[in-house]
Every structure is written in structure tokens, then in C-alpha cells.
Amino acid sequence: MRRKRWMKMLQSIAVTVLLLATATVLGGVFNKSGFHQTNIVVVYILSVLLIARFTDGYLYGIVATVLSLLMFNWFFTEPYFTLKVNDPTYIITFAIMSITATITSALTTKVKVAAEEAKEKEAESNALYQMTNHLTDAEDIHAIAEIATRTVSKILSTNAACICFDESGVPESTFIQQRSDGTQIRRELDHAIELQKRMEGLHMPYDVGNEFHDFPIYGTNGILGVLRIPNEAAEELTESYTRLLHAIIESMALAMERFRSLQTQAKIREEATQERYRGNLLRAISHDLRTPLSGIMGTSEMLMGMMQKEEPCYALAEGIYKDADWLCALVENILNLTKLQDGCLKLYKQPEAAEEIVGAALGVTEKRFPGREISVGVPDALLMVPMDARLISQVLVNLLDNAVKHTPADKEIRISVSKDEKENAARFVVEDRGCGIAEADFPYIFQKFYTTRGKSADAQRGVGLGLSICQSIVEAHGGRIFAENREDGGARFTFTLPLGDDAV
């Protein structure tokens, strides 16, 4: 680009010298032919006009005006070959000549500059239009980078490059660069982490490196990539080219964000489809398991009633009954989960006595874990809570089941309910004396199919649905649920249910 500038400068100087020399020669011919000196003045003005037309900027026109005035005085006014003037009227001629030449030169240059600007804007619009059309058909972000790199390299006559960033804002290990023969290559990116930090802390339109000026491509949620312009070309950028470059970067950002948005939407649709298929499969399996499990439980219970506890077969029948009961609870949880996900689980809320719900949950737990002692704390006054009794009982059963699984047989389990005056809500609390919840597990314990990473030796099997269902049911009631570790050991699960204005 610098070489082009020097070539233009030399070309402008050559045009100025040539046209002034030509005007002088023609003036000499006119002078010998006896033409009036006014014709010579017109020839010089014409040469200034042509110089302004075929050179860049106002400078050459002004210089040509001054030189033409001096040359006319030197060659065509007496005394010849001096800058003196014998006839005072020539001063008026010189003044008119200089004013006319200056105005003509300025107007010509202005028209030419306007035409060039219009041409540049047309070229910019053309380039952006062509690039936008190609970006619309791009298959991925790398194709967008390739198209933009090719366009910028062509406009700036340089070998531009582009680095793509992933969704987490980390640059890829390689980047695309244009070559002089029109092809593109992949280059290894050195110091990727350092580049990432520079882009994150950038307070300027670009960052200057050893080889490139790096222009960041920002999206709505972070950086999408970096457009790299070689230092030599970047330092020669004019205002118009800088403006065009920023327009190209904005187009790249829009195209990249559009592609990522389409990717995200496709991923969401795929996950939704998979979730729907999984829900349908779980629902079908659960319904098919219910009937045989009920038969197994009934048969094993009947066999237990026909035998003494001391008989060897009693323990076998009892084991069958417990396993079938566990599977029945799992099936119930799966069905509730699929109904919650599909929005088919309807709440039948009505005022219920909190003590009765706690008692019902304890009855189910005692049947599953006979002989297990659970301490209970309830308020002295009757506490009526708007709720779906069946679902809230399921929440308490799941929490108690979880507490029993993680608490040694000789340790305390406690369930309590109270009225929270501050929140105007009923507060249900289930506490155990297990090993507590690991810090790494806290963000995930209410996620579906998540089981704790470090279980105690006495912890029993589980598939990670109970707490997820508890959260869904409580939140469907407008309440909240959370977990914490007890200071004296163990875990505490608390959930609240809002009370109506007329709650007792």
C-alpha cells in the first residue's frame, strides 16, 4: 500500500511537469504566431484544470497555479526571463489568472474527490452486499471466517486472517489466513491463552501484535472471533477503509451469532425430542411394571402371613416384598416425574392438616422400614395448609426414605412441621444423622438422575429421582425447597408451602 502511494505521488508530479511544459510550448508557439497573450493565459488555466483532474488532492492544483503564473511571467512578459514586470496592467492579469486557476482547480478537485468517494462507497456497498450474500449460504462459522478473510484480503490487497472462538470464549488452536495466490491455509495459533486475555481486557478497537492488528468480533454474549490484518496494511488504512472494515466485522458478528443461534435451537429441539421419547418410554415401562409388581407384593405378603418368622423361607419372602415395594416406589416416582415434565400433573389443592400429612408419610415409611424410630415435632395448634395431600405426602416419603438410606440404624431421624410467621408459610423439615452432603454435590442434588458421589457404606440404592420430584412438586405449590448440612453432623432438608390468607 505504501508503494502504491509513492507511485501515485510520482505519477502526479510527472503529470504536473508534463502539462505545464506542454502549456509553455504551446504558449511559445502562440507568441511567435502573433496571438494575443490572453490565449496563452487560457492555455495555462487549461493546464491547471487538467492537472487538478489527473492528480490527487488540492496540493498539485495550487502548485500548478503558482508555477503557471511564474512561467507566464518568465517566458511571456517583458522583460523576458525575469520575474520583473514593466507594464503594471500585468498585475491585474496575474491576479485574474491566479484567481481563475485556483477556483477552477479547486472545483475540479472537489468534483473529482466527490466522484471518487461515490465510487468508493459504491465499491464498499458492493463488497458488503456480495459478502452478505455469501455469508447467508455459509454452512458453519469456519465458512463465515473463510468468506470474510477472502473479502477483506481482496479489498485491502493483503493477506488477512481470522481466528474463531468457541462458545466458551476460547480461541481455536488454528486460524485461517489468505495467501497471495488466492488459496487459504491453516496456521497454528501461538499463545492462545495470552490472546484470549488480551481480547478480554481490550479497551481499544484493535490490539497490535508482532505480526497482526487484531480486530475483535463481538457478539451479544461475548467474543466470537478475531479478524487479523497484517501490520503493514493496517497502518496504511484510510478512514474509508477503516469504516468498511468495521462494517465487515459487524456483518461477520451477525452471521456468526445467527449460526450459533440456529445451532442452539437445533440442540434444544433435539434435547426436547429425546426428553419426550425418554418420558414416553419411562411412562410405558412404569405402567407395564405396576401390575406384576402389585401381584408380586400381594403374593409375597400372603406367603409371609402363612409362615412363621423363624422359618428360612420367611426371610426370602420378606426380601421379595421389600424389593417389590422399592420398585413400586420407583415406578410411582417415574410416573410423577413424567407427568410433571409434560404438565399433566394437576394439583388438587385444599386445606389439609399438616399433622395428618406427616402421619401418613410416617405410616408409609414405617411399613417400608419397620422398627426404624423417627422422632416427630408438630405445632400445638392445628395448622391447615393448602396443598395436594397425595403429592406432599409423596415429598415427605421421598425425604424420609432418603434420610433412612443415609443414616445408620442407631442414629436419629427427625421430621417436624411449624408455621413460619415471617414468610406466612408452613415449614417442613427432615433431618438425619448421616455423613452429610459433600460441597461438590450441593449444586446438583435436585437434578434428575443425580446421585451423590461419595455415599456412606450403609447407603442403599437409588437412581436420583426422589429429590428432583420433591423440588418439582414443592415449586408447583409455589413453595421452595433447599438442603444444608447440620453443624452437629448430618443433613437437613427443608421445604415451605405458602399459607392462604385464612390459614389457621
Side-chain angles (χ1 to χ4, degrees), residues 131 134-154 159-165 172 174-178 183-186 217 224-229 248-249 251-260:
M131 191 186 75
H134 290 305
L135 289 179
T136 304
D137 300 329
E139 297 179 355
D140 54 27
I141 286 183
H142 296 106
I144 294 171
E146 290 172 6
I147 293 168
T149 301
R150 189 178 301 113
T151 303
V152 172
S153 298
K154 184 178 179 181
N159 295 327
C162 185
I163 306 170
C164 296
F165 282 52
E172 295 182 351
T174 61
F175 66 93
I176 300 167
Q177 184 173 15
Q178 190 76 15
T183 60
Q184 292 182 337
I185 59 171
R186 278 265 175 192
I217 306 168
L224 302 170
V226 171
L227 184 63
R228 316 193 88 178
I229 308 298
I248 290 173
I249 289 173
S251 297
M252 290 178 67
L254 289 173
M256 288 180 171
E257 280 210 307
R258 177 185 60 81
F259 176 76
R260 283 196 177 172

Side-chain angles (χ1 to χ4, degrees), residues 26-324:
L26 284 175
V29 173
F30 287 175
N31 192 34
K32 285 184 178 182
S33 302
F35 288 1
H36 196 274
Q37 287 184 332
T38 305
N39 297 301
I40 301 174
V41 171
V42 171
V43 170
Y44 274 113
I45 292 174
L46 176 61
S47 69
V48 172
L49 178 63
L50 293 174
I51 289 169
R53 168 64 183 83
F54 293 107
T55 57
D56 293 328
Y58 293 91
L59 177 62
Y60 296 100
I62 294 171
V63 170
T65 300
V66 174
L67 289 177
S68 63
L69 183 63
L70 294 175
M71 292 172 75
F72 177 74
N73 185 18
W74 182 272
F75 291 107
F76 302 109
T77 60
E78 296 179 352
Y80 297 110
F81 308 115
T82 66
L83 296 179
K84 296 179 181 180
V85 178
N86 290 339
D87 188 354
T89 58
Y90 276 117
I91 297 176
I92 298 174
T93 303
F94 294 159
I96 294 173
M97 179 181 174
S98 61
I99 293 171
T100 305
T102 302
I103 293 174
T104 305
S105 171
L107 289 175
T108 304
T109 303
K110 187 174 182 180
V111 170
K112 188 184 72 171
V113 169
E116 288 178 354
E117 287 180 353
K119 191 175 180 180
E120 283 182 2
K121 288 182 179 179
E122 182 184 3
E124 291 173 10
S125 302
N126 230 0
L128 282 174
Y129 176 74
Q130 294 294 334
M131 191 186 75
T132 304
N133 277 346
H134 290 305
L135 289 179
T136 304
D137 300 329
E139 297 179 355
D140 54 27
I141 286 183
H142 296 106
I144 294 171
E146 290 172 6
I147 293 168
T149 301
R150 189 178 301 113
T151 303
V152 172
S153 298
K154 184 178 179 181
I155 292 172
L156 301 183
S157 300
T158 188
N159 295 327
C162 185
I163 306 170
C164 296
F165 282 52
D166 61 21
E167 294 180 358
S168 59
V170 177
E172 295 182 351
S173 59
T174 61
F175 66 93
I176 300 167
Q177 184 173 15
Q178 190 76 15
R179 297 178 65 182
S180 301
D181 59 3
T183 60
Q184 292 182 337
I185 59 171
R186 278 265 175 192
R187 288 180 55 185
E188 292 291 330
L189 178 63
D190 298 327
H191 311 296
I193 302 302
E194 181 183 339
L195 173 67
Q196 180 185 357
K197 291 180 179 178
R198 290 206 314 268
M199 291 298 106
E200 290 174 351
L202 189 62
H203 300 290
M204 297 175 61
Y206 56 84
D207 178 71
V208 182
N210 295 329
E211 185 180 358
F212 298 101
H213 277 49
D214 291 327
F215 292 80
I217 306 168
Y218 290 116
T220 305
N221 299 319
I223 189 166
L224 302 170
V226 171
L227 184 63
R228 316 193 88 178
I229 308 298
N231 289 337
E232 184 180 348
E235 291 167 0
E236 299 295 329
L237 284 177
T238 62
E239 184 179 348
S240 61
Y241 278 118
T242 302
R243 186 172 59 249
L244 176 59
L245 187 62
H246 287 307
I248 290 173
I249 289 173
E250 288 177 6
S251 297
M252 290 178 67
L254 289 173
M256 288 180 171
E257 280 210 307
R258 177 185 60 81
F259 176 76
R260 283 196 177 172
S261 176
L262 291 175
Q263 267 191 325
T264 303
Q265 291 175 11
K267 187 176 180 181
I268 291 172
R269 285 196 298 270
E270 183 180 352
E271 289 177 352
T273 302
Q274 290 179 351
E275 194 66 29
R276 185 169 63 252
Y277 287 154
R278 182 168 63 180
N280 291 338
L281 178 62
L282 288 174
R283 190 160 44 247
I285 292 174
S286 300
H287 280 295
D288 290 344
L289 287 175
R290 259 182 166 181
T291 303
L293 283 175
S294 298
I296 292 171
M297 286 181 65
T299 303
S300 59
E301 192 172 18
M302 183 180 65
L303 290 173
M304 289 166 60
M306 296 168 58
M307 292 181 288
Q308 299 296 325
K309 289 186 178 182
E310 294 78 11
E311 295 183 37
C313 292
Y314 183 89
L316 180 62
E318 185 181 28
I320 294 172
Y321 179 84
K322 287 183 177 180
D323 286 344

